Amino acid sequence: FFSSFVWLPMADTVTIRAGAIVLRGAVLSGKVTVGAGTIVHPSVSILAEDGPIVIGENNIIEEQCVITNKSVLGPPSPSCFLSEGFFFSLLPRRGADGLRDVEGMPPQTLTIGDNNVFEVGSQILSLNVGNCNVVEAKAVVGSNVSLGSHCRIGAGCQVVAAEVIPDHTIIYGRDNTRRTDPGYTQPSLYPEQRDFLRRVLPNFHPLQTTAAP
């Protein structure tokens, strides 16, 4: 049932730029902007809970990826649940703009650059993601992390401690082993994949058609 529609509870705040492809079955909530050429697969969740989310151009966001702006973490409301040690409010206090207002803290924007690839089941909470990164399947980039450009986060890796990850950093393996490779750039197969998806997906999947110039 849920895969048959795009959930837009605040539809007037969701902006899909011309040329972007957002497939039905994705969940976009809050103040979200999807840049031109970006592809959002079904079962993706983009949740602007504590501030806007601005996604740049030509990104690929694959199935079950979750991008969440949780930049303001306050005390739980009376209606909440515990998940992996964190309280998440089901009924958060919200200001006049519809964003959560905790102790007067201003909302922060989660900004994602261009030409990134977020693979199946990855989770992005970082407020700053650069360009041309690859976050592999089921990897996690936490809210206290600033991710540079031309980085690769390996499958299943969890990067959650507060840090700035420099450009050209590769993180991989069970122990989050890392190295810096100044010569690393995003493999050429990803631009080819984007072009292929743009040609093929509209033929087989209904699209969310709300668009802005």
Side-chain angles (χ1 to χ4, degrees):
F1 173 77
F2 290 103
S3 64
S4 63
F5 66 94
V6 175
W7 179 38
L8 299 177
M10 300 174 64
D12 58 321
T13 65
V14 174
T15 302
I16 301 172
R17 299 294 182 191
I21 295 177
V22 179
L23 300 177
R24 290 190 182 180
V27 176
L28 282 70
S29 175
K31 293 189 175 183
V32 177
T33 300
V34 180
T38 287
I39 299 169
V40 180
H41 285 249
S43 73
V44 165
S45 296
I46 303 176
L47 310 175
E49 296 185 0
D50 291 340
I53 294 177
V54 178
I55 299 173
E57 300 182 356
N58 298 316
N59 297 284
I60 300 175
I61 307 175
E62 295 185 352
E63 290 87 346
Q64 299 178 17
C65 174
V66 179
I67 300 173
T68 310
N69 186 337
K70 283 190 174 294
S71 57
V72 179
L73 295 177
S77 72
S79 177
C80 60
F81 62 92
L82 185 65
S83 175
E84 298 182 356
F86 294 94
F87 279 99
F88 296 97
S89 173
L90 294 178
L91 296 172
R93 186 168 70 249
R94 295 188 179 273
D97 60 357
L99 299 174
R100 189 162 70 167
D101 177 17
V102 179
E103 301 299 332
M105 295 180 65
Q108 300 181 68
T109 300
L110 187 159
T111 303
I112 293 173
D114 304 329
N115 300 300
N116 296 288
V117 178
F118 304 113
E119 293 187 356
V120 173
S122 57
Q123 298 182 47
I124 309 298
L125 294 95
S126 170
L127 292 177
N128 298 287
V129 177
N131 305 312
C132 301
N133 298 294
V134 178
V135 180
E136 294 185 9
K138 297 188 177 181
V140 178
V141 182
S143 59
N144 293 317
V145 177
S146 179
L147 183 62
S149 297
H150 298 285
C151 298
R152 190 176 194 105
I153 311 298
C157 290
Q158 297 193 14
V159 185
V160 295
E163 65 171 315
V164 176
I165 299 178
D167 297 350
H168 303 284
T169 297
I170 300 172
I171 299 176
Y172 58 95
R174 292 184 178 179
D175 299 324
N176 287 348
T177 303
R178 66 178 65 195
R179 61 185 175 89
T180 301
D181 182 356
Y184 174 79
T185 58
Q186 191 182 80
S188 60
L189 66 90
Y190 290 110
E192 295 173 1
Q193 180 183 2
R194 278 190 290 270
D195 292 341
F196 175 77
L197 292 173
R198 287 191 192 108
R199 293 195 308 270
V200 171
L201 287 177
N203 296 325
F204 297 96
H205 294 275
L207 305 181
Q208 159 61 21
T209 57
T210 300

Short mmCIF file of all heavy atoms in Angstrom, two decimals, residues 171-194:
data_model
loop_
_atom_site.label_atom_id
_atom_site.label_comp_id
_atom_site.label_asym_id
_atom_site.label_seq_id
_atom_site.Cartn_x
_atom_site.Cartn_y
_atom_site.Cartn_z
N ILE A 171 36.85 5.13 3.91
CA ILE A 171 36.61 4.41 5.16
C ILE A 171 36.01 3.07 4.80
O ILE A 171 35.04 3.00 4.03
CB ILE A 171 35.69 5.22 6.09
CG1 ILE A 171 36.34 6.56 6.43
CG2 ILE A 171 35.36 4.43 7.35
CD1 ILE A 171 35.46 7.47 7.27
N TYR A 172 36.56 1.99 5.40
CA TYR A 172 36.11 0.67 4.99
C TYR A 172 36.36 -0.33 6.11
O TYR A 172 37.13 -0.08 7.05
CB TYR A 172 36.83 0.22 3.72
CG TYR A 172 38.34 0.18 3.87
CD1 TYR A 172 39.01 -0.99 4.20
CD2 TYR A 172 39.11 1.33 3.70
CE1 TYR A 172 40.38 -1.04 4.36
CE2 TYR A 172 40.48 1.32 3.85
CZ TYR A 172 41.11 0.13 4.18
OH TYR A 172 42.49 0.12 4.34
N GLY A 173 35.68 -1.48 6.03
CA GLY A 173 35.93 -2.59 6.94
C GLY A 173 35.21 -2.48 8.27
O GLY A 173 34.64 -1.45 8.63
N ARG A 174 35.25 -3.58 9.03
CA ARG A 174 34.54 -3.65 10.30
C ARG A 174 35.04 -2.62 11.30
O ARG A 174 34.29 -2.15 12.16
CB ARG A 174 34.70 -5.05 10.91
CG ARG A 174 33.97 -6.15 10.13
CD ARG A 174 34.10 -7.47 10.85
NE ARG A 174 33.37 -8.53 10.17
CZ ARG A 174 33.35 -9.79 10.61
NH1 ARG A 174 34.00 -10.13 11.72
NH2 ARG A 174 32.67 -10.71 9.93
N ASP A 175 36.32 -2.27 11.24
CA ASP A 175 36.91 -1.34 12.20
C ASP A 175 36.95 0.09 11.67
O ASP A 175 37.65 0.93 12.23
CB ASP A 175 38.33 -1.80 12.54
CG ASP A 175 38.36 -3.18 13.19
OD1 ASP A 175 37.43 -3.48 13.96
OD2 ASP A 175 39.30 -3.94 12.91
N ASN A 176 36.21 0.35 10.62
CA ASN A 176 36.21 1.69 10.02
C ASN A 176 37.63 2.16 9.70
O ASN A 176 38.00 3.30 9.97
CB ASN A 176 35.53 2.71 10.94
CG ASN A 176 34.02 2.54 10.99
OD1 ASN A 176 33.44 1.82 10.19
ND2 ASN A 176 33.38 3.20 11.93
N THR A 177 38.41 1.25 9.16
CA THR A 177 39.76 1.61 8.72
C THR A 177 39.67 2.74 7.71
O THR A 177 38.76 2.77 6.89
CB THR A 177 40.45 0.39 8.09
OG1 THR A 177 40.46 -0.68 9.05
CG2 THR A 177 41.87 0.71 7.68
N ARG A 178 40.62 3.67 7.78
CA ARG A 178 40.56 4.79 6.85
C ARG A 178 41.93 5.12 6.28
O ARG A 178 42.97 4.88 6.89
CB ARG A 178 39.95 6.02 7.51
CG ARG A 178 40.75 6.64 8.63
CD ARG A 178 40.05 7.88 9.16
NE ARG A 178 38.77 7.56 9.79
CZ ARG A 178 37.84 8.45 10.08
NH1 ARG A 178 38.06 9.73 9.78
NH2 ARG A 178 36.71 8.09 10.66
N ARG A 179 41.88 5.65 5.10
CA ARG A 179 43.09 6.16 4.46
C ARG A 179 42.71 7.36 3.60
O ARG A 179 41.54 7.53 3.23
CB ARG A 179 43.76 5.09 3.60
CG ARG A 179 42.91 4.54 2.46
CD ARG A 179 43.62 3.40 1.76
NE ARG A 179 42.79 2.77 0.73
CZ ARG A 179 42.75 3.17 -0.53
NH1 ARG A 179 43.51 4.18 -0.93
NH2 ARG A 179 41.99 2.55 -1.41
N THR A 180 43.69 8.17 3.29
CA THR A 180 43.47 9.32 2.42
C THR A 180 44.18 9.07 1.10
O THR A 180 45.37 8.73 1.09
CB THR A 180 43.99 10.61 3.06
OG1 THR A 180 43.30 10.82 4.30
CG2 THR A 180 43.74 11.81 2.16
N ASP A 181 43.45 9.20 0.02
CA ASP A 181 44.00 8.98 -1.32
C ASP A 181 43.71 10.21 -2.15
O ASP A 181 42.62 10.36 -2.70
CB ASP A 181 43.37 7.74 -1.95
CG ASP A 181 43.93 7.42 -3.32
OD1 ASP A 181 44.76 8.21 -3.83
OD2 ASP A 181 43.55 6.39 -3.90
N PRO A 182 44.69 11.14 -2.26
CA PRO A 182 44.46 12.39 -3.00
C PRO A 182 44.06 12.16 -4.45
O PRO A 182 43.44 13.04 -5.07
CB PRO A 182 45.80 13.12 -2.91
CG PRO A 182 46.48 12.53 -1.72
CD PRO A 182 46.03 11.10 -1.67
N GLY A 183 44.36 10.97 -4.97
CA GLY A 183 44.03 10.69 -6.36
C GLY A 183 42.66 10.06 -6.56
O GLY A 183 42.23 9.84 -7.70
N TYR A 184 41.96 9.78 -5.43
CA TYR A 184 40.67 9.10 -5.55
C TYR A 184 39.60 10.06 -6.05
O TYR A 184 39.43 11.16 -5.52
CB TYR A 184 40.23 8.51 -4.22
CG TYR A 184 38.83 7.92 -4.29
CD1 TYR A 184 38.62 6.66 -4.85
CD2 TYR A 184 37.72 8.64 -3.85
CE1 TYR A 184 37.34 6.12 -4.94
CE2 TYR A 184 36.45 8.11 -3.93
CZ TYR A 184 36.26 6.85 -4.48
OH TYR A 184 35.00 6.34 -4.59
N THR A 185 38.88 9.64 -7.05
CA THR A 185 37.70 10.34 -7.52
C THR A 185 36.59 9.32 -7.73
O THR A 185 36.84 8.12 -7.85
CB THR A 185 37.95 11.11 -8.83
OG1 THR A 185 38.39 10.18 -9.83
CG2 THR A 185 38.98 12.20 -8.64
N GLN A 186 35.38 9.80 -7.77
CA GLN A 186 34.23 8.91 -7.95
C GLN A 186 34.36 8.14 -9.26
O GLN A 186 34.64 8.73 -10.30
CB GLN A 186 32.96 9.75 -7.96
CG GLN A 186 31.68 8.94 -7.87
CD GLN A 186 30.47 9.85 -7.93
OE1 GLN A 186 30.08 10.27 -9.00
NE2 GLN A 186 29.91 10.18 -6.77
N PRO A 187 34.18 6.82 -9.22
CA PRO A 187 34.31 6.03 -10.45
C PRO A 187 33.38 6.51 -11.56
O PRO A 187 32.27 6.97 -11.31
CB PRO A 187 33.92 4.61 -9.99
CG PRO A 187 34.22 4.60 -8.53
CD PRO A 187 33.90 5.99 -8.04
N SER A 188 33.82 6.37 -12.78
CA SER A 188 33.07 6.87 -13.93
C SER A 188 31.75 6.13 -14.14
O SER A 188 30.86 6.62 -14.84
CB SER A 188 33.91 6.76 -15.20
OG SER A 188 34.25 5.40 -15.46
N LEU A 189 31.60 4.96 -13.51
CA LEU A 189 30.37 4.20 -13.71
C LEU A 189 29.16 4.92 -13.14
O LEU A 189 28.03 4.70 -13.58
CB LEU A 189 30.48 2.80 -13.11
CG LEU A 189 30.60 2.66 -11.59
CD1 LEU A 189 29.24 2.55 -10.92
CD2 LEU A 189 31.44 1.44 -11.23
N TYR A 190 29.35 5.81 -12.16
CA TYR A 190 28.19 6.47 -11.55
C TYR A 190 27.53 7.48 -12.48
O TYR A 190 26.30 7.51 -12.58
CB TYR A 190 28.58 7.09 -10.21
CG TYR A 190 28.85 6.06 -9.15
CD1 TYR A 190 30.13 5.84 -8.66
CD2 TYR A 190 27.82 5.27 -8.64
CE1 TYR A 190 30.39 4.88 -7.71
CE2 TYR A 190 28.06 4.30 -7.69
CZ TYR A 190 29.35 4.10 -7.22
OH TYR A 190 29.59 3.14 -6.28
N PRO A 191 28.29 8.34 -13.19
CA PRO A 191 27.63 9.18 -14.19
C PRO A 191 26.89 8.36 -15.25
O PRO A 191 25.80 8.72 -15.69
CB PRO A 191 28.78 9.99 -14.79
CG PRO A 191 29.81 10.04 -13.71
CD PRO A 191 29.71 8.72 -13.01
N GLU A 192 27.49 7.23 -15.63
CA GLU A 192 26.82 6.36 -16.60
C GLU A 192 25.55 5.78 -16.00
O GLU A 192 24.51 5.65 -16.68
CB GLU A 192 27.78 5.24 -17.02
CG GLU A 192 29.01 5.74 -17.78
CD GLU A 192 30.01 4.64 -18.03
OE1 GLU A 192 29.75 3.48 -17.64
OE2 GLU A 192 31.07 4.93 -18.63
N GLN A 193 25.60 5.42 -14.71
CA GLN A 193 24.41 4.89 -14.04
C GLN A 193 23.31 5.95 -13.99
O GLN A 193 22.13 5.65 -14.22
CB GLN A 193 24.76 4.43 -12.63
CG GLN A 193 23.58 3.86 -11.85
CD GLN A 193 23.95 3.48 -10.43
OE1 GLN A 193 25.09 3.67 -10.00
NE2 GLN A 193 23.00 2.94 -9.69
N ARG A 194 23.68 7.19 -13.68
CA ARG A 194 22.69 8.27 -13.65
C ARG A 194 21.99 8.43 -14.99
O ARG A 194 20.77 8.55 -15.08
CB ARG A 194 23.35 9.59 -13.23
CG ARG A 194 23.53 9.75 -11.74
CD ARG A 194 23.95 11.17 -11.39
NE ARG A 194 25.31 11.45 -11.82
CZ ARG A 194 26.39 11.25 -11.08
NH1 ARG A 194 26.26 10.78 -9.86
NH2 ARG A 194 27.59 11.53 -11.53
#
